[in-house]
Amino acid sequence: MVKRIFIFGLFFSFLFSQEVKVVLSQNKISTSQSLTLSIEIKNTEDNPEVDISEVLSNFSIVSGPSLSSEYRFINGIKSSSRKLSWILIPLREGVFTYENLNVKIGSKIIKTDKFQIEVTKDNLSQENSEEIFLKIDVSSKEIFVGEKATLTYTFFTRVPVKILSTEFPEFKEFWVEKIVDPTGKEILPEQWKDVDQNGYSYKYLKLYEVDIFPMSAGTFELQSMIIKAQTKNDDPNFKRLFWEDPFFDTFSQRTRANILVSNPVKIKVKNLEDSPKNFSGAVGEFSLQSYLSSDKFEVGVPFSFTLQMKGSGNFYNISRPNIVFSSDFDIFEGQTSIKYDISRNKEGFIQWEYNLIPRKEGQFEIPSIEFDYFNTNTEKWTKLKLDKKLFSVKKSYNDQRILRSINDSSMILTLSQQGSELEIKDQVVSNLSIFIILLSLIILFLIYSANGLKTILIKNFRFIEKRTSLARALVELNNSKFIEKDFSKILCEYLYKKNIIDRKNLDSRELLDILSEYLDDKHLLALSQIFKKFDEAKFGNIEENHEKFLDKLIQIFKVIEKST
């Protein structure tokens, strides 16, 4: 009896066991064809989850996943199955083998059997045989790290066409500057141009254009652009009054779907050998110039020094030069400005502002500046040099403005810094003799120390500035729209006001070395990791929400504040 029950149970479990099967519409296609990948699961009423990420390294999804269900009753026994399907198009040619895919059904994971897909290259050129095609042009397929390569994607058609969707490529190993991007823009009929190619008349449109700057050496295979388009089949029963312009067609006739994939492109990136010690990332062809905002300089009166690089290259990857100014100046880093002129072969400039406030009179200089960059035309290192600038700072005629008028009612002295006011008031002095004595003391004080009162006020200002530096830093941190770029500047400004550093243009390594005296190992490691993440966001095409680091940064600021 037990044996019969065991055999029956074994038969029952075999009958209703979940089976997973991979079904391909075809296992051999060309680069311009699509296929359907289906995963069938028998004897289940649960919707499955399938991980096809391994497949997507060589294929792109045209549509899917679509889910279908099937129910059967055989001899009174109910069975059900599910099927997930995707329409895929290849990104490259080759033979691709997949050992198994993970299929999750409820809490259970079942693996599929091994399957293989072969993708071959079209025998005929797409440009010679197709009514519509997508062409990619590359300015150079062999470049150096940091050197610009321009990719241009052009769409050609000689039949009425409607673009349904576009899948733009991603360039994860490159810094990307978009030159032509149709996203969110309406394509107008006058944007299309006419061209004769291979004996046919085409209309074409520059659909997408980017400048890419490699961040590391190696050989990189760029993603293809994929376009889903709809074309009209010829119908002899349909007559129209106008020439078949693709952009004024009603698509009232029969249509068919088309999938276009740009040809795969490989770019070889060569390393920059023997880079100079002060290399700041500039690759291209540049010239260097500088200028001062004024030709007259007075103590306490701010002015700016601007350094500008002009030419063509990777402006967004160039670091601000480290200029050592005189210690007799207060230094504030100004704006960094970048401008491209697409009409002039994408030439442009980057310029850095330095705001200076002289603290004493005398003869001063802006030191000579040397700037090394890699010249992509000569493929050699080039040094740019600017001679030092000499200038004189004179005593300000307004130094005495800190003394306020003294009358028989009151004396008010106000210092204002970002809305915070320090107000010192002397009460009304009615006694004439006391007033005379006070006035005499002030006169004697000014005789023996002309800068005495000014020194006191500066000390008070420094005290207020030091006490409020944390609050200001946290407000700037919270209001930053691009925290990856602003954080180092905010940190340097804070440390400078706390008298921890004596200049504001320190890099991350210098900051970590200095802060090792104020932070424990845990917070120092956290700060190092944050610097690394922010550098990746600034110099690579990485889209990540770094606002999640805000709480950690605030905590680090508070630890530094407590340590000082």
Side-chain angles (χ1 to χ4, degrees), residues 422-527:
L422 174 65
E423 194 170 270
I424 304 173
K425 295 185 178 180
D426 279 353
Q427 299 298 322
V428 176
V429 182
S430 58
N431 191 306
L432 181 60
S433 60
I434 295 177
F435 173 78
I436 294 173
I437 293 172
L438 179 62
L439 182 60
S440 300
L441 290 173
I442 292 175
I443 293 173
L444 289 172
F445 178 76
L446 292 178
I447 292 174
Y448 288 97
S449 178
N451 292 323
L453 183 57
K454 185 175 180 181
T455 302
I456 293 173
L457 296 180
I458 291 175
K459 287 183 177 179
N460 277 286
F461 176 79
R462 295 292 188 193
F463 174 78
I464 297 168
E465 187 177 55
K466 190 172 181 180
R467 291 293 298 271
T468 59
S469 56
L470 176 63
R472 290 176 188 163
L474 297 183
V475 169
E476 290 178 5
L477 205 62
N478 188 59
N479 293 338
S480 173
K481 293 183 179 179
F482 195 175
I483 194 171
E484 296 90 338
K485 285 187 176 179
D486 296 339
F487 170 61
S488 291
K489 181 180 178 181
I490 295 171
L491 180 59
C492 286
E493 182 77 19
Y494 166 74
L495 296 176
Y496 180 83
K497 289 179 179 178
K498 297 290 289 185
N499 295 326
I500 295 175
I501 59 176
D502 57 1
R503 57 189 178 92
K504 300 181 183 180
N505 49 351
L506 301 181
D507 60 26
S508 58
R509 290 183 181 179
E510 293 173 306
L511 289 171
L512 287 170
D513 184 56
I514 292 171
L515 291 176
S516 62
E517 299 180 11
Y518 301 90
L519 294 175
D520 54 36
D521 292 341
K522 176 184 174 182
H523 289 95
L524 195 65
L525 177 61
L527 181 59

Side-chain angles (χ1 to χ4, degrees), residues 130-165:
E130 297 297 326
E131 294 177 332
I132 60 174
F133 64 90
L134 182 62
K135 182 181 179 183
I136 177 174
D137 293 305
V138 187
S139 61
S140 178
K141 294 184 179 180
E142 187 170 324
I143 56 179
F144 288 92
V145 172
E147 183 179 0
K148 176 181 67 179
T150 302
L151 307 180
T152 305
Y153 298 83
T154 308
F155 180 74
F156 291 82
T157 180
R158 55 187 177 91
V159 295
V161 64
K162 183 183 292 182
I163 298 176
L164 302 177
S165 65

Side-chain angles (χ1 to χ4, degrees), residues 232-297:
K232 179 186 63 118
N233 289 336
D234 291 332
D235 187 348
N237 297 321
F238 181 83
K239 295 182 180 180
R240 46 185 301 165
L241 298 177
F242 302 100
W243 173 75
E244 289 191 354
D245 190 322
F247 318 103
F248 299 99
D249 191 81
T250 62
F251 276 82
S252 57
Q253 304 180 66
R254 297 175 184 176
T255 60
R256 70 173 182 270
N258 295 266
I259 308 296
L260 302 179
V261 181
S262 63
N263 292 328
V265 172
K266 287 185 179 180
I267 289 186
K268 181 180 179 181
V269 181
K270 297 178 287 186
N271 209 354
L272 299 176
E273 303 291 344
D274 303 322
S275 58
K277 289 183 179 180
N278 63 341
F279 175 54
S280 59
V283 178
E285 190 173 12
F286 306 99
S287 61
L288 189 64
Q289 61 185 16
S290 66
Y291 52 89
L292 295 166
S293 61
S294 175
D295 56 358
K296 295 181 180 179
F297 309 94

Side-chain angles (χ1 to χ4, degrees), residues 318-555:
I318 304 175
S319 302
R320 177 183 283 264
N322 181 18
I323 303 175
V324 181
F325 294 97
S326 169
S327 58
D328 293 319
F329 289 84
D330 286 326
I331 312 298
F332 303 89
E333 287 187 1
Q335 290 185 341
T336 298
S337 305
I338 299 176
K339 186 176 180 180
Y340 270 114
D341 188 348
I342 299 176
S343 63
R344 295 185 59 190
N345 196 28
K346 299 172 189 173
E347 291 184 355
F349 67 80
I350 179 172
Q351 67 180 27
W352 302 275
E353 282 187 0
Y354 301 84
N355 298 312
L356 296 83
I357 304 177
R359 295 200 296 255
K360 60 185 293 188
E361 58 183 314
Q363 296 290 326
F364 297 96
E365 67 177 38
I366 304 292
S368 61
I369 299 171
E370 292 185 351
F371 200 96
D372 291 295
Y373 75 94
F374 187 81
N375 190 314
T376 52
N377 286 336
T378 62
E379 297 189 0
K380 294 180 181 179
W381 292 101
T382 302
K383 185 184 293 291
L384 299 175
K385 186 173 181 179
L386 292 177
D387 294 333
K388 61 184 179 182
K389 289 182 179 289
L390 302 176
F391 60 95
S392 298
V393 175
K394 297 181 179 179
K395 187 176 181 180
S396 174
Y397 293 106
N398 296 321
D399 278 353
Q400 301 302 319
R401 60 188 171 184
I402 60 171
L403 300 177
R404 298 293 189 257
S405 60
I406 302 174
N407 53 44
D408 60 350
S409 60
S410 66
M411 180 182 77
I412 300 174
L413 180 60
T414 302
L415 284 176
S416 176
Q417 178 67 16
Q418 293 188 356
S420 298
E421 294 187 349
L422 174 65
E423 194 170 270
I424 304 173
K425 295 185 178 180
D426 279 353
Q427 299 298 322
V428 176
V429 182
S430 58
N431 191 306
L432 181 60
S433 60
I434 295 177
F435 173 78
I436 294 173
I437 293 172
L438 179 62
L439 182 60
S440 300
L441 290 173
I442 292 175
I443 293 173
L444 289 172
F445 178 76
L446 292 178
I447 292 174
Y448 288 97
S449 178
N451 292 323
L453 183 57
K454 185 175 180 181
T455 302
I456 293 173
L457 296 180
I458 291 175
K459 287 183 177 179
N460 277 286
F461 176 79
R462 295 292 188 193
F463 174 78
I464 297 168
E465 187 177 55
K466 190 172 181 180
R467 291 293 298 271
T468 59
S469 56
L470 176 63
R472 290 176 188 163
L474 297 183
V475 169
E476 290 178 5
L477 205 62
N478 188 59
N479 293 338
S480 173
K481 293 183 179 179
F482 195 175
I483 194 171
E484 296 90 338
K485 285 187 176 179
D486 296 339
F487 170 61
S488 291
K489 181 180 178 181
I490 295 171
L491 180 59
C492 286
E493 182 77 19
Y494 166 74
L495 296 176
Y496 180 83
K497 289 179 179 178
K498 297 290 289 185
N499 295 326
I500 295 175
I501 59 176
D502 57 1
R503 57 189 178 92
K504 300 181 183 180
N505 49 351
L506 301 181
D507 60 26
S508 58
R509 290 183 181 179
E510 293 173 306
L511 289 171
L512 287 170
D513 184 56
I514 292 171
L515 291 176
S516 62
E517 299 180 11
Y518 301 90
L519 294 175
D520 54 36
D521 292 341
K522 176 184 174 182
H523 289 95
L524 195 65
L525 177 61
L527 181 59
S528 176
Q529 292 172 342
I530 290 171
F531 271 128
K532 183 178 180 181
K533 284 287 185 182
F534 284 2
D535 286 341
E536 290 174 355
K538 285 190 292 185
F539 300 120
N541 190 28
I542 299 175
E543 296 182 2
E544 185 175 350
N545 182 14
H546 289 293
E547 291 184 0
K548 65 184 180 181
F549 293 113
L550 189 58
D551 291 339
K552 290 183 180 179
L553 295 176
I554 292 173
Q555 183 63 31

Side-chain angles (χ1 to χ4, degrees), residues 84-101:
L84 275 175
S85 299
W86 295 263
I87 298 177
L88 306 175
I89 190 163
L91 299 176
R92 58 188 62 84
E93 58 183 294
V95 178
F96 309 110
T97 303
Y98 304 99
E99 294 297 331
N100 48 59
L101 301 178

Side-chain angles (χ1 to χ4, degrees), residues 20-250:
V20 176
K21 184 180 179 183
V22 176
V23 178
L24 297 171
S25 60
Q26 48 189 331
N27 57 13
K28 185 175 181 180
I29 58 174
S30 69
T31 52
S32 62
Q33 293 178 307
S34 62
L35 63 85
T36 301
L37 168 66
S38 300
I39 309 294
E40 295 181 354
I41 306 99
K42 293 183 179 180
N43 302 321
T44 183
E45 293 187 359
D46 296 325
N47 291 334
E49 297 178 16
V50 183
D51 181 11
I52 65 166
S53 56
E54 186 180 356
V55 177
L56 296 183
S57 61
N58 300 303
F59 293 83
S60 178
I61 297 175
V62 176
S63 64
S66 59
L67 177 65
S68 60
S69 304
E70 184 181 51
Y71 295 91
R72 289 184 180 181
F73 289 88
I74 301 176
N75 297 327
I77 300 175
K78 175 186 173 183
S79 65
S80 61
S81 62
R82 298 286 190 273
K83 182 168 76 172
L84 275 175
S85 299
W86 295 263
I87 298 177
L88 306 175
I89 190 163
L91 299 176
R92 58 188 62 84
E93 58 183 294
V95 178
F96 309 110
T97 303
Y98 304 99
E99 294 297 331
N100 48 59
L101 301 178
N102 290 329
V103 181
K104 185 178 181 182
I105 307 170
S107 59
K108 221 159 82 172
I109 294 180
I110 304 175
K111 294 184 180 296
T112 66
D113 292 332
K114 174 180 175 181
F115 64 98
Q116 187 179 81
I117 304 172
E118 182 180 354
V119 180
T120 60
K121 190 174 182 180
D122 286 332
N123 292 328
L124 295 176
S125 169
Q126 185 187 37
E127 299 175 21
N128 291 333
S129 60
E130 297 297 326
E131 294 177 332
I132 60 174
F133 64 90
L134 182 62
K135 182 181 179 183
I136 177 174
D137 293 305
V138 187
S139 61
S140 178
K141 294 184 179 180
E142 187 170 324
I143 56 179
F144 288 92
V145 172
E147 183 179 0
K148 176 181 67 179
T150 302
L151 307 180
T152 305
Y153 298 83
T154 308
F155 180 74
F156 291 82
T157 180
R158 55 187 177 91
V159 295
V161 64
K162 183 183 292 182
I163 298 176
L164 302 177
S165 65
T166 305
E167 186 177 322
F168 295 103
E170 295 181 358
F171 308 97
K172 294 183 179 180
E173 302 294 333
F174 298 81
W175 177 275
V176 179
E177 288 299 320
K178 296 180 180 179
I179 308 301
V180 177
D181 183 8
T183 305
K185 300 177 183 177
E186 182 182 0
I187 298 176
L188 303 175
E190 54 266 26
Q191 292 178 259
W192 294 79
K193 308 299 180 183
D194 295 301
V195 64
D196 290 330
Q197 188 162 315
N198 302 319
Y200 295 100
S201 295
Y202 284 90
K203 283 188 177 290
Y204 74 93
L205 172 71
K206 184 189 289 186
L207 196 61
Y208 192 55
E209 187 173 64
V210 293
D211 286 340
I212 59 174
F213 303 86
M215 306 304 297
S216 59
T219 301
F220 302 95
E221 185 171 343
L222 306 182
Q223 286 187 2
S224 297
M225 176 183 284
I226 300 173
I227 292 180
K228 300 170 189 176
Q230 188 181 67
T231 57
K232 179 186 63 118
N233 289 336
D234 291 332
D235 187 348
N237 297 321
F238 181 83
K239 295 182 180 180
R240 46 185 301 165
L241 298 177
F242 302 100
W243 173 75
E244 289 191 354
D245 190 322
F247 318 103
F248 299 99
D249 191 81
T250 62

